[in-house]
Amino acid sequence: MDVVIRQEGCAGRITLNRPQALNAVTHAMCLEIEKALEAWRADDGITRIVIDAMGERAFSAGGDIAEMYATGMAGDYGYGRKFWRDEYRLNAKLFEYPKPIVSFLQGFTMGGGVGIGCHARHRIVGETAQVAMPECGIGLVPDVGGSLILAKAPGRTGEYLALTTTRLGPTDAIFAGFADLFVPEAGWEALKKALCASEDTSPISQAAMPPPDGALKTLQADIERCFAGERLGDIARALKADKTDFAAGAFKQIQRNAPLSMAAAVEMIHRLRGSGGIRQALEMEYRFTHRAMEHGDFLEGIRAAIIDKDRAPKWRHLGPEAVPSIDVSKMLMPLGAEALRFEEEETG
């Protein structure tokens, strides 16, 4: 089974079980998790949910996009769009769930893994945590509700993380808002057992410890100076003009990623900052992902990174300063009748 769902004591347990695939989330797994959450919602015998994953390398390195690529290359965009609709509906349910959810995030937690693990009420990271939103590198935007986390990150940290796709260790993940507490991984199994037996979630605070040193907080002055631009082009010009090692490194990173995706990510974060909610974030993300195969760089990004692995994508725009505002507007326009809905779809 790709996801193991069961009850232990007073806890509903969800365990991602594809360690050989770094627990990449499939469409079927999303539907199974959603079904379990709905069943447990009104079950008085379940007082909290615990989400974890098998294997040491990853909680989940993202969504399983092989089928999306295959169908998209054949001109069928329907499968990918349905996957994203169902996945985003699950992300909203996790965020809004009335009972406490506790997630344990080891190793890689990226993309779709963020959508499963980082909307929990109590998000626990250990010493191996590597959290990231790498979507701009494959022609998407930070999605699965990740755009909201980035919009709420301190200062301009959200823009920095979206555009550079930087990986965050445990302390930096907590600082940026992707996690809450650090618990050494040697103590995770004991904590999970305590959560299944306890009347409340107090074992979490009792197990938490000060995290190791991180780097993100010390970079805040650099980030504020270089990533405050209104548009992607403004940020790129600021980085080029700033004669520091930080700026040079950041500019090198953003040159690798899809310009259209980065420009849209900046716009999304700015729209959400201060007043955005999870449904607004997901609905706006879906505007982009709905169009990403046909009008964006997603298929080319997957080809270069995963299929051919040549790391030489041919993006639609020549660089971060070459994306007209109208192109961003077209990707983020309302979808009308095709807009994301948060009710389960009828199956005929």
Side-chain angles (χ1 to χ4, degrees):
M1 293 183 289
D2 289 343
V3 58
V4 181
I5 295 170
R6 71 277 188 204
Q7 179 175 353
E8 291 183 9
C10 58
R13 294 290 308 271
I14 298 171
T15 299
L16 308 183
N17 189 37
R18 300 183 71 211
Q20 75 286 354
L22 299 181
N23 293 312
V25 180
T26 66
H27 187 204
M29 289 166 69
C30 289
L31 297 177
E32 287 185 61
I33 293 170
E34 181 181 31
K35 183 179 178 181
L37 291 175
E38 286 304 308
W40 291 333
R41 185 185 293 268
D43 185 342
D44 293 338
I46 301 286
T47 61
R48 79 285 315 268
I49 313 299
V50 176
I51 303 178
D52 60 4
M54 296 297 293
E56 298 178 354
R57 295 178 62 199
F59 170 77
S60 172
D64 189 339
I65 51 182
E67 186 70 13
M68 281 193 197
Y69 178 81
T71 53
M73 287 300 293
D76 173 13
Y77 308 126
Y79 171 81
R81 289 168 177 172
K82 179 165 176 52
F83 189 145
W84 280 312
R85 287 196 303 270
D86 291 341
E87 182 180 26
Y88 295 178
R89 188 177 67 244
L90 171 62
N91 300 147
K93 286 187 177 180
L94 288 163
F95 189 99
E96 297 170 347
Y97 204 65
K99 298 178 181 182
I101 299 178
V102 186
S103 59
F104 289 81
L105 311 175
Q106 80 275 17
F108 296 123
T109 300
M110 300 181 179
V114 167
I116 300 293
C118 294
H119 298 314
R121 196 176 305 179
H122 306 280
R123 303 161 299 174
I124 295 166
V125 282
E127 53 271 30
T128 67
Q130 291 284 301
V131 181
M133 297 301 294
E135 288 81 4
C136 287
I138 57 169
L140 282 183
V141 290
D143 67 337
V144 297
S147 64
L148 182 63
I149 298 175
L150 294 173
K152 291 178 176 293
R156 301 290 180 161
T157 301
E159 288 93 327
Y160 169 70
L161 296 177
L163 302 189
T164 62
T165 68
T166 296
R167 295 179 183 179
L168 304 174
T171 304
D172 290 341
I174 293 170
F175 177 80
F178 287 90
D180 300 301
L181 295 168
F182 175 79
V183 177
E185 289 166 30
W188 281 14
E189 288 308 311
L191 176 54
K192 292 172 191 176
K193 289 180 181 178
L195 285 169
C196 293
S198 175
E199 294 183 358
D200 55 32
T201 55
S202 60
I204 299 172
S205 57
Q206 295 166 10
M209 295 181 64
D213 291 339
L216 200 52
K217 191 173 183 178
T218 64
L219 294 174
Q220 285 303 289
D222 293 318
I223 291 171
E224 294 305 302
R225 189 177 65 251
C226 296
F227 284 84
E230 186 64 26
R231 296 181 174 85
L232 174 64
D234 301 325
I235 293 171
R237 285 184 286 274
L239 288 170
K240 288 199 295 184
D242 193 279
K243 305 303 181 183
T244 62
D245 290 343
F246 167 84
F251 188 70
K252 183 177 180 181
Q253 285 175 285
I254 71 172
Q255 284 183 298
R256 301 171 182 159
N257 300 328
L260 180 60
S261 295
M262 292 190 291
V266 171
E267 177 65 20
M268 291 164 59
I269 290 168
H270 289 182
R271 291 188 191 182
L272 291 167
R273 179 168 284 134
S275 60
I278 188 64
R279 294 192 176 205
Q280 181 185 352
L282 290 162
E283 192 271 332
M284 186 160 46
E285 292 167 0
Y286 185 67
R287 296 179 188 182
F288 189 99
T289 54
H290 179 91
R291 299 177 169 110
M293 292 194 213
E294 189 173 6
H295 303 294
D297 292 295
F298 176 64
L299 294 176
E300 173 62 9
I302 296 302
R303 181 206 64 76
I306 296 172
I307 306 302
D308 297 338
K309 299 182 179 178
D310 58 20
R311 302 288 174 181
K314 295 178 175 60
W315 304 126
R316 290 173 182 251
H317 298 81
L318 294 177
E321 297 174 72
V323 185
S325 296
I326 186 64
D327 290 6
V328 176
S329 297
K330 287 179 179 177
M331 295 299 288
L332 297 180
M333 285 172 56
L335 287 165
E338 296 293 314
L340 179 67
R341 304 281 187 262
F342 292 95
E343 301 79 28
E344 292 187 49
E345 298 177 8
E346 297 292 333
T347 55

